[in-house]
Amino acid sequence: MRTADSAKVVIQTSHQSQCPRLVLFLQDTALRACTPKLAQEAVELGPRSNKAGPCLVLLKGVSATQAEFFAWYSTSYLRRYCPRVYWLGSCGSSATDKEELLHSICTAGSPGGSIRLQCCPRSLEKWLAAHLPEPFKLDPKGFQYVLNVVANEGTLLWNLHEADGTYRRTTLLTESPQKCVSSAVHKLEEALHVVGHHVGSNQRAIDLGAAPGGWSLYLAKHVAMVIAVDPADLSPQLSLPNVHHLQCKSEVAGDAIETLLEGEKADLLVADMNQHPDTTVQAMKPLLPFVKAGGTIIMTMKFYGLGRDRSAPESRVLEAFGCSVEPESG
């Protein structure tokens, strides 16, 4: 149940197509169970199509404090896809146009410290910078307060708050690997986060379609053994003692995998192949016997055409896998 002091937060994604994924993730029952203060509801904002729109998702009923929310966000995969977060708080204000917005801000008064403007669209930042009177001190770097403004279908939502814990994407992304074999590694990080699989140093993983090796390199830093299956060459960065490259197709890799596992089973089977999902499933099926009961299987599904409803191909993939595989929520 939403409390009286619950907050609203707007997250801005890099592309409109990421918004429905974000909504599905935030509505996942498993996520809500482990982070009950996160949000009671998540909705896309503004007029939109499959490819175009304001790239905004509104979180309602956030009972976490600002510090708690940004502490969670700083460890979430979302930080890689969402350039801005607008904290509107529990008592945010609204205006119908820029002049009313300016009047409301001036009426509320200067907080007495330097302010960072964070507006969507960004053109509002330039307009406010030109119109805010002298008592308001603006500084995009050394700021003590943040003025958030979000335009949504004829309404300007705004909130002025202290900067403690404010999400700054540029600082968070400095922790990213500087020499990734491929940016595709972020897809794996996202998938592991969503399904709740925590890779550990005692685990074994099979990476199908591994070349050039982005996923294998990521896994090699976290697990005991990675078996990379791909006829193509891997990056020289994959010359690691715990990475075993089987330069063949999955249909003939069974004997070698069995030898490497030494009677054990893999905890994780992943596949990021540039193939239609039906083809990827057929390539994965010979490897299923090497995954332990309760293990995790992750595959990317490359679709063609537009549209958000992928229920038909998803059902076809699960049917092709058979009863040995159960889908995760989210």
Side-chain angles (χ1 to χ4, degrees), residues 33-49:
C34 64
T35 54
K37 294 183 177 182
L38 186 55
Q40 295 297 317
E41 185 181 359
V43 295
E44 291 184 67
L45 294 182
R48 58 193 180 276
S49 65

PDB file of all heavy atoms in Angstrom, residues 33-49:
ATOM      1  N   ALA A  33       9.942  -8.286  -3.894  1.00  0.00           N
ATOM      2  CA  ALA A  33      10.072  -9.031  -2.645  1.00  0.00           C
ATOM      3  C   ALA A  33      11.370  -8.687  -1.922  1.00  0.00           C
ATOM      4  O   ALA A  33      11.405  -8.578  -0.698  1.00  0.00           O
ATOM      5  CB  ALA A  33      10.005 -10.529  -2.912  1.00  0.00           C
ATOM      6  N   CYS A  34      12.458  -8.498  -2.699  1.00  0.00           N
ATOM      7  CA  CYS A  34      13.748  -8.200  -2.085  1.00  0.00           C
ATOM      8  C   CYS A  34      13.985  -6.704  -1.905  1.00  0.00           C
ATOM      9  O   CYS A  34      14.836  -6.299  -1.115  1.00  0.00           O
ATOM     10  CB  CYS A  34      14.886  -8.828  -2.888  1.00  0.00           C
ATOM     11  SG  CYS A  34      15.075  -8.186  -4.556  1.00  0.00           S
ATOM     12  N   THR A  35      13.264  -5.860  -2.630  1.00  0.00           N
ATOM     13  CA  THR A  35      13.377  -4.408  -2.472  1.00  0.00           C
ATOM     14  C   THR A  35      11.981  -3.809  -2.377  1.00  0.00           C
ATOM     15  O   THR A  35      11.517  -3.120  -3.290  1.00  0.00           O
ATOM     16  CB  THR A  35      14.136  -3.766  -3.659  1.00  0.00           C
ATOM     17  OG1 THR A  35      13.492  -4.181  -4.881  1.00  0.00           O
ATOM     18  CG2 THR A  35      15.576  -4.197  -3.688  1.00  0.00           C
ATOM     19  N   PRO A  36      11.265  -4.047  -1.277  1.00  0.00           N
ATOM     20  CA  PRO A  36       9.870  -3.613  -1.161  1.00  0.00           C
ATOM     21  C   PRO A  36       9.676  -2.109  -1.181  1.00  0.00           C
ATOM     22  O   PRO A  36       8.582  -1.626  -1.465  1.00  0.00           O
ATOM     23  CB  PRO A  36       9.437  -4.208   0.194  1.00  0.00           C
ATOM     24  CG  PRO A  36      10.718  -4.384   0.954  1.00  0.00           C
ATOM     25  CD  PRO A  36      11.741  -4.735  -0.079  1.00  0.00           C
ATOM     26  N   LYS A  37      10.734  -1.338  -0.893  1.00  0.00           N
ATOM     27  CA  LYS A  37      10.600   0.117  -0.861  1.00  0.00           C
ATOM     28  C   LYS A  37      10.800   0.759  -2.226  1.00  0.00           C
ATOM     29  O   LYS A  37      10.676   1.965  -2.359  1.00  0.00           O
ATOM     30  CB  LYS A  37      11.624   0.716   0.116  1.00  0.00           C
ATOM     31  CG  LYS A  37      11.396   0.360   1.576  1.00  0.00           C
ATOM     32  CD  LYS A  37      12.412   1.071   2.447  1.00  0.00           C
ATOM     33  CE  LYS A  37      12.181   0.806   3.917  1.00  0.00           C
ATOM     34  NZ  LYS A  37      13.161   1.546   4.765  1.00  0.00           N
ATOM     35  N   LEU A  38      11.120  -0.057  -3.251  1.00  0.00           N
ATOM     36  CA  LEU A  38      11.529   0.513  -4.523  1.00  0.00           C
ATOM     37  C   LEU A  38      10.415   1.283  -5.206  1.00  0.00           C
ATOM     38  O   LEU A  38      10.529   2.463  -5.480  1.00  0.00           O
ATOM     39  CB  LEU A  38      12.041  -0.595  -5.437  1.00  0.00           C
ATOM     40  CG  LEU A  38      12.637  -0.139  -6.761  1.00  0.00           C
ATOM     41  CD1 LEU A  38      13.745   0.877  -6.529  1.00  0.00           C
ATOM     42  CD2 LEU A  38      13.165  -1.322  -7.541  1.00  0.00           C
ATOM     43  N   ALA A  39       9.301   0.628  -5.539  1.00  0.00           N
ATOM     44  CA  ALA A  39       8.188   1.294  -6.217  1.00  0.00           C
ATOM     45  C   ALA A  39       6.976   0.381  -6.203  1.00  0.00           C
ATOM     46  O   ALA A  39       7.094  -0.836  -6.278  1.00  0.00           O
ATOM     47  CB  ALA A  39       8.561   1.654  -7.652  1.00  0.00           C
ATOM     48  N   GLN A  40       5.799   0.985  -6.126  1.00  0.00           N
ATOM     49  CA  GLN A  40       4.560   0.240  -6.200  1.00  0.00           C
ATOM     50  C   GLN A  40       4.040   0.150  -7.628  1.00  0.00           C
ATOM     51  O   GLN A  40       3.272  -0.742  -7.962  1.00  0.00           O
ATOM     52  CB  GLN A  40       3.500   0.906  -5.308  1.00  0.00           C
ATOM     53  CG  GLN A  40       3.830   0.867  -3.831  1.00  0.00           C
ATOM     54  CD  GLN A  40       3.901  -0.543  -3.291  1.00  0.00           C
ATOM     55  OE1 GLN A  40       3.076  -1.383  -3.599  1.00  0.00           O
ATOM     56  NE2 GLN A  40       4.924  -0.812  -2.483  1.00  0.00           N
ATOM     57  N   GLU A  41       4.493   1.072  -8.475  1.00  0.00           N
ATOM     58  CA  GLU A  41       3.992   1.111  -9.846  1.00  0.00           C
ATOM     59  C   GLU A  41       5.027   1.772 -10.750  1.00  0.00           C
ATOM     60  O   GLU A  41       5.746   2.682 -10.324  1.00  0.00           O
ATOM     61  CB  GLU A  41       2.670   1.888  -9.895  1.00  0.00           C
ATOM     62  CG  GLU A  41       1.988   1.909 -11.243  1.00  0.00           C
ATOM     63  CD  GLU A  41       0.688   2.707 -11.227  1.00  0.00           C
ATOM     64  OE1 GLU A  41       0.321   3.226 -10.150  1.00  0.00           O
ATOM     65  OE2 GLU A  41       0.054   2.811 -12.291  1.00  0.00           O
ATOM     66  N   ALA A  42       5.117   1.305 -11.985  1.00  0.00           N
ATOM     67  CA  ALA A  42       6.022   1.898 -12.973  1.00  0.00           C
ATOM     68  C   ALA A  42       5.272   2.039 -14.288  1.00  0.00           C
ATOM     69  O   ALA A  42       4.672   1.075 -14.768  1.00  0.00           O
ATOM     70  CB  ALA A  42       7.267   1.037 -13.166  1.00  0.00           C
ATOM     71  N   VAL A  43       5.289   3.232 -14.876  1.00  0.00           N
ATOM     72  CA  VAL A  43       4.548   3.487 -16.121  1.00  0.00           C
ATOM     73  C   VAL A  43       5.397   4.319 -17.068  1.00  0.00           C
ATOM     74  O   VAL A  43       6.198   5.159 -16.643  1.00  0.00           O
ATOM     75  CB  VAL A  43       3.212   4.219 -15.852  1.00  0.00           C
ATOM     76  CG1 VAL A  43       2.270   3.336 -15.059  1.00  0.00           C
ATOM     77  CG2 VAL A  43       3.451   5.532 -15.106  1.00  0.00           C
ATOM     78  N   GLU A  44       5.236   4.077 -18.359  1.00  0.00           N
ATOM     79  CA  GLU A  44       5.885   4.909 -19.371  1.00  0.00           C
ATOM     80  C   GLU A  44       5.156   6.242 -19.485  1.00  0.00           C
ATOM     81  O   GLU A  44       3.931   6.304 -19.382  1.00  0.00           O
ATOM     82  CB  GLU A  44       5.872   4.204 -20.726  1.00  0.00           C
ATOM     83  CG  GLU A  44       6.760   2.987 -20.807  1.00  0.00           C
ATOM     84  CD  GLU A  44       6.783   2.400 -22.201  1.00  0.00           C
ATOM     85  OE1 GLU A  44       7.321   3.066 -23.117  1.00  0.00           O
ATOM     86  OE2 GLU A  44       6.260   1.279 -22.391  1.00  0.00           O
ATOM     87  N   LEU A  45       5.916   7.291 -19.734  1.00  0.00           N
ATOM     88  CA  LEU A  45       5.341   8.622 -19.848  1.00  0.00           C
ATOM     89  C   LEU A  45       5.327   9.095 -21.295  1.00  0.00           C
ATOM     90  O   LEU A  45       6.151   8.690 -22.111  1.00  0.00           O
ATOM     91  CB  LEU A  45       6.131   9.629 -19.008  1.00  0.00           C
ATOM     92  CG  LEU A  45       6.092   9.461 -17.488  1.00  0.00           C
ATOM     93  CD1 LEU A  45       6.897  10.575 -16.827  1.00  0.00           C
ATOM     94  CD2 LEU A  45       4.663   9.470 -16.964  1.00  0.00           C
ATOM     95  N   GLY A  46       4.385   9.988 -21.566  1.00  0.00           N
ATOM     96  CA  GLY A  46       4.360  10.714 -22.823  1.00  0.00           C
ATOM     97  C   GLY A  46       3.860   9.944 -24.026  1.00  0.00           C
ATOM     98  O   GLY A  46       3.811   8.711 -24.008  1.00  0.00           O
ATOM     99  N   PRO A  47       3.501  10.653 -25.084  1.00  0.00           N
ATOM    100  CA  PRO A  47       3.147   9.992 -26.352  1.00  0.00           C
ATOM    101  C   PRO A  47       4.360   9.272 -26.913  1.00  0.00           C
ATOM    102  O   PRO A  47       5.477   9.803 -26.883  1.00  0.00           O
ATOM    103  CB  PRO A  47       2.716  11.161 -27.244  1.00  0.00           C
ATOM    104  CG  PRO A  47       3.385  12.361 -26.665  1.00  0.00           C
ATOM    105  CD  PRO A  47       3.454  12.119 -25.192  1.00  0.00           C
ATOM    106  N   ARG A  48       4.165   8.063 -27.407  1.00  0.00           N
ATOM    107  CA  ARG A  48       5.312   7.260 -27.808  1.00  0.00           C
ATOM    108  C   ARG A  48       4.921   6.237 -28.851  1.00  0.00           C
ATOM    109  O   ARG A  48       3.753   5.896 -29.019  1.00  0.00           O
ATOM    110  CB  ARG A  48       5.893   6.543 -26.595  1.00  0.00           C
ATOM    111  CG  ARG A  48       4.881   5.642 -25.905  1.00  0.00           C
ATOM    112  CD  ARG A  48       5.344   5.181 -24.539  1.00  0.00           C
ATOM    113  NE  ARG A  48       4.352   4.327 -23.902  1.00  0.00           N
ATOM    114  CZ  ARG A  48       3.312   4.770 -23.205  1.00  0.00           C
ATOM    115  NH1 ARG A  48       3.133   6.075 -23.064  1.00  0.00           N
ATOM    116  NH2 ARG A  48       2.453   3.935 -22.656  1.00  0.00           N
ATOM    117  N   SER A  49       5.920   5.728 -29.530  1.00  0.00           N
ATOM    118  CA  SER A  49       5.770   4.604 -30.448  1.00  0.00           C
ATOM    119  C   SER A  49       6.796   3.555 -30.032  1.00  0.00           C
ATOM    120  O   SER A  49       7.416   3.667 -28.975  1.00  0.00           O
ATOM    121  CB  SER A  49       6.013   5.054 -31.892  1.00  0.00           C
ATOM    122  OG  SER A  49       7.358   5.473 -32.054  1.00  0.00           O
TER     123      SER A  49
END
